[in-house]
Amino acid sequence: GVFPKGYWTIWTTVALDLIGFGIVVPILGVYAERFGASGYSVGWLFATFSLAQLVFSPLLGRLSDRIGRKPVIVISLIGTAVGSFVTGAAGALWLLFLGRVIDGASGGSLSVAQAAVADIATPEQRPKLVGMLGAAFGVGFVLGPAIGGLAALGGPHVPFYVAAALAAVNAVAAIVRLPETRKVTTEPAHREARRGFAVPSNSGLRRLALLGFLATFAFVAFEATFSLFGSKRFDLTEGSTAAVFLVIGLVLVAIQGGGFGALAAKVGVPRLYTLGLAVVAVGLVVVGVSTAWPALVIGLLLLSVGQGVASPSLTELVNREAGEHQRGEAMGFQQSSYAVGRVLGPPLAGSVFDRIGVWSPMVLGGAITAVAVVLAVGWGVH
């Protein structure tokens, strides 16, 4: 079908934003060591970004419901540019933390962009367009590290300046090209009732946020410990681990950019979400118990396919539950639930890896995802 006006502008805005994120993330830990950061400090450096996102995503989402999507996306992109520049120009560890706070607080642009796509799409188009927006995430994670690696040849600060420049250009392009998508609605009751930092009164949104937290927690536990697991059990180097994540990214892009819309139309989004979660749970356990390459490949493939299906399904379920007047805030609240998972997942996964065994973060992640499947079925999400 024909894409709604403004869709590709939103898509490229998100893709560029995530390329910038992908440039910074793989090299941040090594960069921080120059300032005397320990492994513990590096862990907190990553957590700081997610904590800032946790606080600011619902606020930016609610602001976009009030003043429009475009100004909030532009402000967020400018914030990302400033945060990346501060990180690159930092002369001390505290400035790195400041840069990550500014960058994390600006990370709400993604949930606002998701709300913008939902604004311009018909209910029939939405699953396909949300899936393709998910593919923009994959593109960012595939291209970002490659650009970051090349930029690092110019010196340790250069990738951060490249990310800052990219965000600044993206902000200017958004000012010129991004349409305002929010439909003006006169719903004073909602505006009066929702002041300050509030949890949605809608129980459906709260349940979806809990499911999002559990699934993110499990997936992040895998991400955080896979390089350690791969090196201990399969003698993977940093390069071969990066190649594994590249393939996962490409599978996600293929599913979300290609097959998701057709699958959603055939199976239905609620059922597709529960099936996707179940496949992720199986994939995580298979990876955890694998001792031979074929089992590892099957586990990683199941994990990638399940994640590729479950992630856009959940976004679409939030869209349906929120309705037009509350879409930005609902997306922001959902993004916050993911941020909690990203804050808690890595340290807990690392500690079970140390204390229980190399297999434990994956199998624990599979068990947590299975709990999410049971809840989804129990709540009738499917």
Side-chain angles (χ1 to χ4, degrees), residues 73-87:
I73 289 173
V74 170
I75 291 163
S76 295
L77 291 171
I78 292 168
T80 299
V82 172
S84 299
F85 182 80
V86 168
T87 307

Side-chain angles (χ1 to χ4, degrees), residues 18-380:
L18 283 149
I19 287 170
F21 185 74
I23 287 172
V24 167
V25 166
I27 53 171
L28 186 64
V30 181
Y31 182 72
E33 285 178 344
R34 295 169 180 277
F35 301 94
S38 62
Y40 182 70
S41 301
V42 169
W44 272 107
L45 202 55
F46 279 89
T48 301
F49 177 91
S50 296
L51 285 167
Q53 202 174 37
L54 162 69
V55 173
F56 281 90
S57 281
L59 301 176
L60 288 173
R62 192 171 324 149
L63 190 63
S64 81
D65 286 336
R66 238 175 239 184
I67 67 169
R69 314 289 184 220
K70 180 174 177 168
V72 174
I73 289 173
V74 170
I75 291 163
S76 295
L77 291 171
I78 292 168
T80 299
V82 172
S84 299
F85 182 80
V86 168
T87 307
L93 191 58
W94 71 268
L95 277 167
L96 283 191
F97 276 95
L98 176 65
R100 296 312 285 158
V101 168
I102 295 168
D103 211 354
S106 311
S109 59
L110 299 180
S111 47
V112 177
Q114 286 174 327
V117 166
D119 292 338
I120 58 176
T122 64
E124 298 75 40
Q125 285 174 318
R126 223 166 42 207
K128 179 185 177 184
L129 297 185
V130 164
M132 288 180 65
L133 195 65
F137 284 63
V139 168
F141 284 111
V142 170
L143 291 180
I147 294 169
L150 286 172
L153 298 175
H157 303 275
V158 175
F160 299 97
Y161 293 143
V162 171
L166 194 62
V169 169
N170 205 3
V172 173
I175 291 167
V176 176
R177 297 188 57 217
L178 199 68
E180 179 50 68
T181 62
R182 182 185 64 109
K183 296 175 179 68
V184 178
T185 152
T186 49
E187 302 220 21
H190 289 286
R191 278 187 202 147
E192 287 309 308
R194 310 200 66 74
R195 283 195 179 138
F197 186 95
V199 173
S201 52
N202 178 330
S203 65
L205 287 175
R206 291 202 301 270
R207 286 173 171 181
L208 292 173
L210 178 60
L211 292 174
F213 159 72
L214 292 172
T216 303
F217 179 91
F219 192 76
V220 167
F222 155 77
E223 278 183 330
T225 55
F226 181 76
S227 60
L228 303 171
F229 168 87
S231 121
K232 287 249 188 329
R233 203 172 267 183
F234 290 93
D235 293 324
L236 293 182
T237 61
E238 286 169 353
S240 44
T241 302
V244 168
F245 278 107
L246 176 68
V247 172
I248 290 173
L250 290 171
V251 171
L252 291 175
V253 170
I255 288 170
Q256 296 178 343
F260 178 75
L263 270 174
K266 199 169 285 181
V267 181
V269 172
R271 190 171 296 150
L272 198 53
Y273 174 62
T274 315
L275 281 170
L277 271 188
V279 172
V280 169
V282 173
L284 281 168
V285 173
V286 170
V287 169
V289 300
S290 64
T291 51
W293 274 100
L296 179 65
V297 170
I298 289 167
L300 289 171
L301 200 60
L302 287 171
L303 177 60
S304 308
V305 170
Q307 187 71 11
V309 164
S311 179
S313 297
L314 185 55
T315 301
E316 173 54 12
L317 290 171
V318 174
N319 273 326
R320 291 180 182 183
E321 193 68 47
E324 275 177 27
H325 64 273
Q326 207 188 346
R327 194 170 278 147
E329 184 182 357
M331 283 296 170
F333 183 69
Q334 192 70 22
Q335 200 78 35
S336 284
S337 73
Y338 303 156
V340 178
R342 282 195 292 273
V343 172
L344 298 179
L348 285 168
S351 77
V352 297
F353 183 91
D354 289 341
R355 294 195 169 91
I356 300 174
V358 293
W359 55 272
S360 58
M362 318 297 171
V363 174
L364 178 69
I368 289 168
T369 311
V371 169
V373 174
V374 172
L375 288 174
V377 172
W379 286 334

